[in-house]
Amino acid sequence: MSEYVISNAKIYSEDQVIESGYVHIKDGKIEAVESGVYTGPLTQHDAEGKILLPGFIDIHIHGGYGNDAMDASVEGLQHLAENLLSEGTTSFLATTMTQSEENINKALESIVAYKATQNSYNAAEIVGIHLEGPFISEHKVGAQNPAYVQQPSVEKLKHFQETADHNIKILTFAPEVEGADVMLEAFKDEIIFSIGHTTADFDQVNAAVAKGAKHITHLYNAGTPFLHRAPGDFGAAWTNDDLSTELIVDGVHSHPASIKIAYKMKGNEHFYVITDAMRAKGMSEGEYDLGGQTVVVKGKEARLKTGSLAGSILRMNQGLKNLLDFTGDTLENAWRTTSLNQAKALKIDNQKGSIKPGKDADLILVDEDINVLTAIKKGKIHSFS
């Protein structure tokens, strides 16, 4: 395999910002990260002073570029994965929806089939599955189909996990529904339980965390709001140090000030930028399918005909740019919300999530506006400028 150097880059590593340095890449891995000018014999790819970040890891994405995980299409997953590189996403969790057991099973089977043969040099890499539902509240379905909401069941989740060849890494569930606590107890060491599409109050959320729940799914959406006498799951998310939270940072699903509050409360180590994108991302305005329901895309919004928001058309690089704009924080602090935090949660931070020797050469070169100029996937360079 190839060996080369990315030179003249502003490098954001775990412990410092190297204003001008280089990254030595060999056989798809990061060999060295150094400051200064490279003077050795290897081929150099001049970054021209641009910003080098670790590739983004999207832990909640249903689809984009005309495809959706629920299509149960290996070819569709391939097309999605190839296009995700253009927004800087180098790894992701293929995310399912609340549909019939038959359709969920088909989707899981197709993801497993794709993952077994995926080309991790030419496309973003599926590193697992996020099962969003069907064990959610019938009263907080959002854009999920209420006809397919199911009561939590150890046996059903076991079946889904076996069908998925144990690739389910995150499960969005409603902890207040009967049977949820038993399911949580049975799988908490194998699956990250993320509270979402829920009517759980402040105490119920904290009780679920005490039993092993770790995440909040798309905070502020399909949950219980904060009131000064009833803090709800929003309040629990803000104040429980054992909870990390996803957020769709598009300025549509949540007001920029609400995003700033969440980021300030959780800090840069317990916050995940996600897209929750659906198939219309990267496509023109119009009507699209989401789990058998019609979604109308106009401008920056994707909505059911009822008016409910139905996922997003957000790109990960824009999510990071928005986070910087909405919070006023620096890239030095915020970059980890798109990569390292996710890698740590998924326990793949020995391979991915930061620019460090020994890790996969999953890197992106961006400008000051976080436009993706180049994506490097396990050492293979893909240019978009």
Side-chain angles (χ1 to χ4, degrees):
M1 290 184 65
S2 63
E3 184 176 8
Y4 62 90
V5 167
I6 300 290
S7 60
N8 188 23
K10 185 175 183 179
I11 304 166
Y12 285 76
S13 69
E14 286 188 40
D15 53 5
Q16 65 176 321
V17 179
I18 299 173
E19 291 295 331
S20 182
Y22 61 90
V23 176
H24 176 185
I25 295 170
K26 180 180 179 181
D27 296 338
K29 297 283 187 179
I30 298 171
E31 186 77 5
V33 182
E34 303 288 349
S35 61
V37 177
Y38 178 75
T39 57
L42 295 175
T43 298
Q44 296 186 51
H45 295 273
D46 187 356
E48 300 179 343
K50 298 297 192 297
I51 295 164
L52 194 66
L53 297 173
F56 302 142
I57 303 173
D58 194 349
I59 60 173
H60 189 155
I61 172 173
H62 298 277
Y65 309 97
N67 306 105
D68 189 286
M70 293 305 298
D71 294 342
S73 166
V74 171
E75 293 77 14
L77 290 169
Q78 175 70 28
H79 185 259
L80 169 64
E82 289 173 351
N83 279 275
L84 287 177
L85 291 179
S86 68
E87 61 190 73
T89 296
T90 53
S91 300
F92 67 106
L93 295 185
T95 306
T96 61
M97 289 190 68
T98 299
Q99 282 198 20
S100 67
E101 284 190 50
E102 179 184 5
N103 285 345
I104 292 174
N105 286 333
K106 287 180 179 178
L108 296 177
E109 289 168 354
S110 70
I111 295 166
V112 170
Y114 173 74
K115 189 172 182 291
T117 59
Q118 66 183 332
N119 186 326
S120 55
Y121 299 96
N122 292 323
E125 187 177 351
I126 291 180
V127 292
I129 295 166
H130 182 157
L131 198 71
E132 189 179 14
F135 309 119
I136 60 175
S137 169
E138 61 182 340
H139 305 294
K140 285 285 186 178
V141 292
Q144 308 279 326
N145 193 326
Y148 299 118
V149 172
Q150 295 186 33
Q151 186 172 336
S153 163
V154 170
E155 287 304 313
K156 286 180 181 177
L157 182 53
K158 181 181 178 182
H159 169 73
F160 285 143
Q161 184 65 308
E162 289 175 348
T163 302
D165 195 26
H166 296 273
N167 278 293
I168 297 172
K169 305 300 182 183
I170 298 178
L171 170 72
T172 292
F173 83 122
E176 76 279 9
V177 178
E178 184 180 354
D181 54 345
V182 179
M183 189 174 66
L184 172 60
E185 177 63 31
F187 287 93
K188 65 181 180 181
D189 295 329
E190 182 179 352
I191 295 172
I192 297 168
F193 278 73
S194 188
I195 298 167
H197 291 278
T198 179
T199 62
D201 61 23
F202 181 82
D203 291 334
Q204 287 172 316
V205 171
N206 286 320
V209 175
K211 293 176 181 176
K214 295 179 180 178
H215 287 191
I216 293 284
T217 294
H218 47 47
L219 180 64
Y220 302 134
N221 300 112
T224 47
F226 175 86
L227 299 171
H228 63 293
R229 293 192 183 93
D233 82 315
F234 297 2
W238 292 336
T239 59
N240 192 316
D241 293 338
D242 292 325
L243 267 178
S244 296
T245 185
E246 307 174 349
L247 246 161
I248 308 167
V249 190
D250 62 357
V252 174
H253 281 77
S254 301
H255 190 282
S258 298
I259 293 168
K260 184 174 183 178
I261 290 168
Y263 185 69
K264 187 172 184 178
M265 295 297 291
K266 299 313 298 180
N268 68 334
E269 294 188 8
H270 295 283
F271 189 104
Y272 310 106
V273 173
I274 61 162
T275 65
D276 193 15
M278 48 87 71
R279 74 170 74 248
K281 173 166 57 177
M283 308 291 284
S284 60
E285 293 184 352
E287 292 189 357
Y288 296 87
D289 173 77
L290 179 68
Q293 302 178 93
T294 299
V295 175
V296 179
V297 175
K298 187 174 182 180
K300 296 180 180 179
E301 299 183 7
R303 294 181 180 271
L304 298 179
K305 289 190 173 180
T306 61
S308 296
L309 284 167
S312 85
I313 52 174
L314 181 67
R315 293 162 61 93
M316 277 290 282
N317 63 309
Q318 187 61 51
L320 178 55
K321 177 64 164 58
N322 289 342
L323 184 67
L324 298 173
D325 291 344
F326 297 164
T327 66
D329 202 7
T330 63
L331 183 59
E332 183 176 2
N333 290 329
W335 69 264
R336 61 181 295 143
T337 66
T338 53
S339 54
L340 185 56
N341 295 347
Q342 291 85 336
K344 286 186 172 182
L346 298 174
K347 298 180 180 178
I348 57 173
D349 54 305
N350 62 323
Q351 302 170 279
K352 303 180 185 298
S354 65
I355 303 176
K356 188 175 183 179
K359 293 193 178 188
D360 292 344
D362 288 359
L363 308 168
I364 56 171
L365 198 65
V366 302
D367 63 18
E368 293 290 339
D369 291 321
I370 321 297
N371 296 308
V372 178
L373 308 174
T374 302
I376 302 170
K377 187 70 186 80
K378 287 192 175 178
K380 185 169 182 179
I381 298 175
H382 304 263
S383 296
F384 303 103
S385 57

